[in-house]
Each structure stands twice: as structure tokens, then as C-alpha cells.
Amino acid sequence: MPSFDTSRIQCPVLRDKLMTAEQAAALIPNGARVGMSGFTGAGYPKAIPPALAARIETLHAAGEPFSIGLWTGASTAPELDGALAKVGGVNMRMPYQSDPTCRAQINAGKMQYVDAHLSHVAPYVWFGFWGRLDVAVIEVAGVLPDGRLIPSSSVGNNKTWLDQADRIILEVNAWQPEGLDGMHDIYYGTDLPPNRVPIPLVHPGDRIGEPYLRCDPAKVVAVVATHAPDRNSAFAAPDDTSERIAGHIIEFLQQEVRHGRLPSTLLPLQSGVGNIANAVLAGLDAGPFQHLTAYTEVLQDGMLEMLRSGTLESASATALSLSPAATEEFTRNIGFYRERIVLRPQEISNHPELIRRLGLISMNGMIEADIYGNVNSTHVMGSSIMNGIGGSGDYARNAYLSIFMTPSLAKGGSISCIVPMASHVDHTEHDVQILVTEQGLADLRGLSPSQRSEVVIERCAHPDFRPALRDYVARARASGCGLHTPHLLGEALSWHERYLRTGTMRT
């Protein structure tokens, strides 16, 4: 029997199913499709994945095959993705990952990977497109007497996993603050076509569901008590590059207000995860805007600070992604944040219709953009996956303003992040309105491809690469082969080929 406190398991039927992580892991069969909780390092199971990895390693040493299909909300942590990938325990991963070991196996062809829009995952599972979900392994913060579950620091796809899985394993994590109770909004009003109805959410802070996850106790085969923290890494302090990117975006938003295209309170904010995103949020917190709202995927340090200062009035997300210091602040003042934060299933946080209707200002990172505004956010040199598209496509295609940002250079200056042709396209020119680097901001709205190329080169490309980009465009136009979007197909990816041969895009 686990030695951890089990007082959070108030349902007698489920308390009777308490067992060790090793015992629970033994209930997952070879070849199973397993839906695990977790979204960007929050709310993932902490004990069962390592126990399952140890079991797989033992079986492989004995010559017995064993692997699972692993579905999550988004990225998880080394205790889950890393541990299972290290022992060759995953045959199929979807829909998003960021683990180095997992990434290496995918790019080596040892693990299959389906990179999917995060808003599509729950519907696709309900439709049966990905096959039957055999097991759900879900972390929760507590279990109510009637068997309903208090969600932990992420919701992700947990509602769907619990509904669709044949068998359920619960990890009840006493590390998660008890004050999370009441922060969640689990909407059960979705349905399959042709029976869908409008989702009744009109403001980012609206609550349209219930605070708990429903769970059929008869499907629960194991309960494991844990006390382990989320993977919460510290963010780097904003550097000059990220602060310059943030400055360009804030200046642009001020301009949009002056021209009457945005209200003085802006529109709901969506921000990707990372140091540049945090720098933008810090700039907004110090800027001229007040009474802001957020409707986003992940709430990170910058938004927590904006809530604390009062610049941000409310924030809707599907997960928390906080540094250790921010986690302490959140836990210490959780009553304050519970009144201002709503955590939802990702099928709602990323829902295209809601994103379009609410009119989001969407800000996401990218790997590279080409001179015509196509964005690559997932692949390095065209064929090696980095992480995945995540929710950026959900937001970019439907946002009121679609902004993509990156430093103009990578790998110590050997790579230009503005290239003649993107080596992989996740977001076409039709979904990209604004490109930003530390060099400047390119507003592509209403511009033809030829006009976009001039603006992108002059505003976003690093000065070291501008002459080569100008030369490429001039020669493409002179070639006479299609002047709407001029390209030299024999050279379009030559910068990437040069990097693969020599280690630099520079000539």
C-alpha cells in the first residue's frame, strides 16, 4: 500500500482500489493505446510512467516485445515522455511532444508520430478516427465522495480520455494545491455531428460547465496516491532580442488602437510559451493598456504577473506552466487567482469558432518564415521535427490578429530565420498577418506576395542576409517564371542545403 496521504480520496469505492504504481503499471497491456494526462509540463502522471518504463525495460531484457501508443494533451515531462522513450516503450506518439529523447527517436524513425492541431484531438477520438482508447492514466488533485474528480494543474484532453477509455487509472497527487478546487470549468455540452449546438461562451471568463471531471467508478481499475511536483522550469530573464521583439509588438498594438482597429482594452490575448512570449507579456504589463483579458492555451509567469498587478482582469487556459517562483506565488495566493483564472478542456480553449468569435490577438513563436509570409513552426531543415504545431494553427487561422515572432538569427548567426522558401509550412501566407523579429515588424495585411517579400526582407531579415534575399527576389522576378510569387525552384531551398553541407547559411 502507498505510504502517501490518501485523505484526498473520499470515494470509498475508489479508495478500495489503492495500489502501488508498479501494480497499476502491470495493468497496462502490450499494444494498448494509452491516454495520459498532462499539458506543457503540468498535470501529468508522475509515478506510473516510470514504473511502466521499468517494467518495459525488464521485459525487453527478457526478449519480450512491449510498447504502447501514447496520447496526451500536449508535451509532458522527462518522467513520462523521456522515461518511456528511453526504453523504447512508445510505438506511436500523438499529438505533441517536446522531449529530447522522444524527438530523437521520432527523427531516427524509431517512433511514429502524428503531429495534430490540439483542437482536433478530442473530436478525432470521439469520431473513432484514431481507434479505441484502451487505458486512461489521469492525475487529479482529489476525488469527491461521489467519484467526481478535482482536476489538477492542467485539463487538456482528460475529459475525453475519461469518457472514452475502457479502463481508467488515477493518480491522486497531494502536491497539487487543494485550492485548485473550483478553478476549473469542464464543459459537457459538446456532441457529435449532426447534433452539435453553439457553445454558450461569450466572454473569456465565462463559466459554462462544472468544476469537476465526471468519472465512472466501475471503469477505474487502480488508484495511486502520489506527492510529486510538476515540471516547472525557470524562464530566462528577457534579453535584448526578446525585449526588442516585445517593443515592436506593443508599438504595433498602440498603433492599432490609434487607428480604431482595436479598443483601448485590446482584445483577448493568446500567447505561446517561452522567453520571448514572457517578454511580450512583461512589456504589456508595463505598457499603456489596462483591463485586459486572456483566452489562451497555457498560463505562464507573465500572465500571472499581469493578474497580480491588475493589468489582466481574467485569464482562461487549459494548463499552468509556471516557474518554481511563480508556482510558490500561485499556491500562496491561490484564492486570489481562483477568482481570475479558468482552466478548461483544450477542445474549448483551442476551439476555432470561439477563437474567431472572441477575436483573439494571437502571438506565437516560429522556427522560420519565408519572404512571402509562410511560417514553419515545427521542422528543422525541412524534415526533423522539433516539437509540433500544438495550438498555434488553431489560433493563427482564426484569430483577429495573427502574430508570429522569432529572432532573425539562430545557431549563433549561422542560420537566417527569414529564408527564400520555408523548408516546411505549418501556417500558410493566408493565415499569417504579422511577422516580428528584433529587426522590426512586417504588417502583411492587404499586401500581395510581391509586396510582402519587400516588407519582410526590409523589416524582419537580419542585415547580414538582406542583400542575398534581395538578390534572390530580383533574379526570381527576372526569370519571368510566374511573377505573382516569384521563385527560383532550383535555389529556393539552397540556403537549407548549404547549412546541411557546411553548417552555415552564409555564403
Side-chain angles (χ1 to χ4, degrees):
M1 180 66 65
S3 59
F4 294 124
D5 177 19
T6 60
S7 61
R8 293 199 187 187
I9 308 168
Q10 299 179 40
C11 176
V13 173
L14 296 188
R15 188 179 293 150
D16 288 343
K17 298 180 182 181
L18 271 166
M19 61 182 69
T20 67
E22 290 73 19
Q23 290 170 325
L27 299 175
I28 299 174
N30 179 35
R33 299 184 184 98
V34 182
M36 294 201 184
S37 61
F39 198 106
T40 320
Y44 57 92
K46 314 295 194 297
I48 292 168
L52 179 60
R55 177 183 168 215
I56 293 171
E57 188 172 33
T58 300
L59 290 169
H60 286 182
E64 295 186 37
F66 194 106
S67 63
I68 64 169
L70 177 59
W71 308 352
T72 60
S75 57
T76 60
E79 304 100 298
L80 199 165
D81 268 321
L84 291 171
K86 184 179 179 181
V87 298
V90 180
N91 56 58
M92 171 64 81
R93 181 72 174 89
M94 56 177 77
Y96 184 92
Q97 59 76 42
S98 65
D99 182 80
T101 306
C102 197
R103 181 187 306 128
Q105 288 204 359
I106 293 167
N107 288 325
K110 297 178 180 179
M111 181 190 300
Q112 299 301 311
Y113 178 48
V114 174
D115 183 23
H117 294 295
L118 296 188
S119 68
H120 287 176
V121 178
Y124 282 6
V125 173
W126 278 98
F127 299 163
F129 290 176
W130 289 358
R132 187 69 190 169
L133 182 63
D134 300 300
V135 182
V137 182
I138 308 297
E139 180 189 89
V140 297
V143 182
L144 299 179
D146 61 5
R148 287 179 298 164
L149 309 174
I150 302 170
S152 67
S153 50
S154 72
V155 181
N157 285 314
N158 292 354
K159 167 186 164 287
T160 296
W161 295 170
L162 291 165
D163 285 344
Q164 290 291 295
D166 293 329
R167 289 181 285 176
I168 296 169
I169 300 174
L170 300 176
E171 282 196 13
V172 184
N173 188 356
W175 176 86
Q176 297 285 359
E178 289 185 289
L180 285 171
D181 189 349
M183 187 174 286
H184 305 83
D185 185 58
I186 313 301
Y187 179 63
Y188 281 94
T190 55
D191 207 339
L192 300 180
N195 300 314
R196 285 178 167 170
V197 296
I199 298 171
L201 191 150
V202 296
H203 183 276
D206 285 351
R207 293 180 178 272
I208 59 174
E210 51 199 71
Y212 306 113
L213 289 161
R214 301 174 187 173
C215 179
D216 180 358
K219 293 204 298 183
V220 177
V221 296
V223 178
V224 176
T226 67
H227 192 289
D230 282 336
R231 170 182 62 84
N232 44 10
S233 303
F235 292 99
D239 59 12
D240 178 65
T241 296
S242 58
E243 287 183 338
R244 287 169 66 184
I245 291 171
H248 296 317
I249 292 175
I250 292 165
E251 182 182 3
F252 167 75
L253 295 175
Q254 289 178 291
Q255 172 185 294
E256 291 298 287
V257 172
R258 286 195 299 271
H259 284 89
R261 291 188 287 262
L262 282 176
S264 60
T265 56
L266 302 182
L267 288 167
L269 303 173
Q270 179 269 323
S271 174
V273 178
N275 294 322
I276 294 176
N278 257 330
V280 173
L281 296 173
L284 286 168
D285 198 24
F289 308 111
Q290 295 293 321
H291 308 296
L292 304 181
T293 60
Y295 192 85
T296 191
E297 208 175 54
V298 176
L299 192 149
Q300 58 184 35
D301 287 25
M303 282 190 180
L304 203 70
E305 292 166 6
M306 293 173 73
L307 287 166
R308 186 165 61 246
S309 71
T311 305
L312 189 66
E313 293 188 342
S314 68
S316 167
T318 193
L320 306 173
S321 183
L322 303 175
S323 69
T327 298
E328 290 183 14
E329 157 64 23
F330 173 79
T331 303
R332 185 168 55 249
N333 296 300
I334 198 165
F336 170 86
Y337 293 112
R338 190 171 54 246
E339 296 178 0
R340 293 160 176 82
I341 294 172
V342 183
L343 296 179
R344 313 180 186 278
Q346 70 191 62
E347 64 188 279
I348 302 299
S349 69
N350 292 49
H351 198 287
E353 191 275 332
L354 294 174
I355 292 166
R356 181 161 295 192
R357 180 154 49 83
L358 292 173
L360 270 56
I361 298 172
S362 174
M363 300 175 286
N364 289 287
M366 62 181 179
I367 292 174
E368 64 182 1
D370 67 28
I371 54 177
Y372 297 114
N374 299 289
V375 165
N376 168 20
S377 62
T378 61
H379 283 69
V380 176
M381 298 297 140
S383 58
S384 293
I385 191 75
M386 177 56 70
N387 298 327
I389 194 169
S392 58
D394 298 325
Y395 294 105
R397 183 70 185 273
N398 300 287
Y400 181 86
L401 284 174
S402 172
I403 302 171
F404 283 93
M405 50 199 179
T406 183
S408 63
L409 298 175
K411 292 292 182 183
S414 62
I415 290 177
S416 172
C417 295
I418 305 298
V419 294
M421 178 182 279
S423 61
H424 178 93
V425 176
D426 296 289
H427 313 283
T428 72
E429 59 184 289
H430 312 292
D431 299 336
V432 179
Q433 296 174 323
I434 313 293
L435 293 177
V436 193
T437 72
E438 82 285 358
Q439 301 298 321
L441 181 147
D443 184 350
L444 308 182
R445 294 173 296 177
L447 301 184
S448 70
S450 183
Q451 292 170 325
R452 286 198 295 266
S453 69
E454 295 178 3
V455 173
V456 170
I457 292 170
E458 299 308 317
R459 302 275 178 84
C460 295
H462 191 275
D464 290 356
F465 286 93
R466 283 180 195 157
L469 289 167
R470 294 188 192 113
D471 176 68
Y472 175 85
V473 172
R475 289 186 296 110
R477 288 173 177 169
S479 72
C481 293
L483 297 185
H484 177 64
T485 308
H487 265 305
L488 299 170
L489 293 183
E491 292 186 34
L493 296 176
S494 62
W495 291 28
H496 301 85
E497 292 177 343
R498 185 182 306 124
Y499 176 81
L500 291 173
R501 287 196 319 269
T502 68
T504 182
M505 286 184 173
R506 297 176 184 270
T507 55

